[in-house]
Amino acid sequence: RNWVCERAGLAPLAQSLYFVGSIIGGVVFGLIADRSGRVPALIGSCVVGCVGSVASAFTRGFLDFALCRFIVGFSYDSCFMLLYILVLEYTGPRHRSLVANLSIALFFGAACLALPWLALWIADWRMLLVCTALPGLIVIAAPWFLPESARWLLSRGRVNKAIDILHRFEKINKTKIPEDILEDFIASSRQTDNANEGIRDLVKSGPLRLAALYMTLMYMSLALVFDGLVRMSETLGLNFFITFTLASAT
């Protein structure tokens, strides 16, 4: 689109609007996840991202392109973070670090390694958007194979539904939850009223507030380094496809 010379600022401006959408979408889908469940929020975010990405391929000018990128950003990073959280809510502390890091390394990492070469092979940015967006529609089938978070169900007083899901896991894992543990779990769940827990509780608690601050600063730093490595490669005159691959490999 000849966004060069005096128009060179349009590309980073569109990308900035993408991240503005991410900030707003993270809050919106976070609230949906707390009020309606992890699975509905996950489906909504993935569908929004898919629609915005496919629509980007049919844009003609800057304004419509920037609007579509904002919509795509609105789904990021809820489109994968909600599933990430849901899985961790079913994982005990002993295995949580392994599950959290291995899934990112294998799937997100592998996809990032493949992405620049997929782009080079397709050699058309519009088609690349469509090809990378449409697989996201698989999420529509999520209600049939992805269980809702038992922790969230308990926070909404839906104890029986949570127990039903745990019984499904018993069959899959070919194991049995001891009856005394299950009874204690049900009793303690019904005595706890945490349906109204939210961001205000996070702010009120000193340790939680400090942990959230550390996580925010760490996440911002990592994102800055990762994104900066990719963007600096063009300025340094290095091959973009190779540097993106190397940055993803790290």
Side-chain angles (χ1 to χ4, degrees), residues 39 42-44 46-47 50 134-146:
V39 175
L42 173 68
I43 294 172
C46 287
V47 170
C50 180
L134 289 180
L137 292 180
I138 294 172
V139 78
I140 294 174
W144 285 274
F145 67 87
L146 185 65

Side-chain angles (χ1 to χ4, degrees), residues 159 181-192:
V159 179
I181 293 178
L182 198 58
E183 288 174 5
D184 289 343
F185 173 72
I186 296 171
S188 62
S189 300
R190 285 177 172 159
Q191 290 170 3
T192 304

Side-chain angles (χ1 to χ4, degrees), residues 33 38-39 41-43 45-46 75 77-92 95-109 139 146-149 151 215 219 222:
R38 311 309 194 216
V39 175
L42 173 68
I43 294 172
S45 62
C46 287
S75 74
D77 54 4
S78 303
C79 58
F80 76 87
M81 189 58 72
L82 287 168
L83 183 56
Y84 190 64
I85 291 169
L86 193 156
V87 170
L88 291 183
E89 286 179 334
Y90 275 113
T91 308
H95 302 289
R96 198 166 288 162
S97 295
L98 179 65
V99 171
N101 291 298
L102 198 60
S103 61
I104 288 288
L106 290 178
F107 301 104
F108 181 76
V139 78
L146 185 65
E148 184 56 85
S149 167
R151 290 175 186 263
M215 288 173 64
Y219 197 91
L222 290 171

Side-chain angles (χ1 to χ4, degrees), residues 222-236 238 240 243-244 246-248 250:
L222 290 171
L224 184 64
V225 171
F226 183 81
D227 206 50
L229 280 171
V230 174
R231 296 185 185 284
M232 282 175 59
S233 63
E234 191 174 356
T235 308
L236 295 172
L238 303 174
F240 176 79
T243 52
F244 189 97
L246 293 174
S248 300
T250 61

Side-chain angles (χ1 to χ4, degrees), residues 121-132:
W121 178 60
I122 293 176
D124 182 279
W125 69 269
R126 296 178 189 273
M127 187 58 64
L128 178 66
L129 283 172
V130 174
C131 289
T132 53

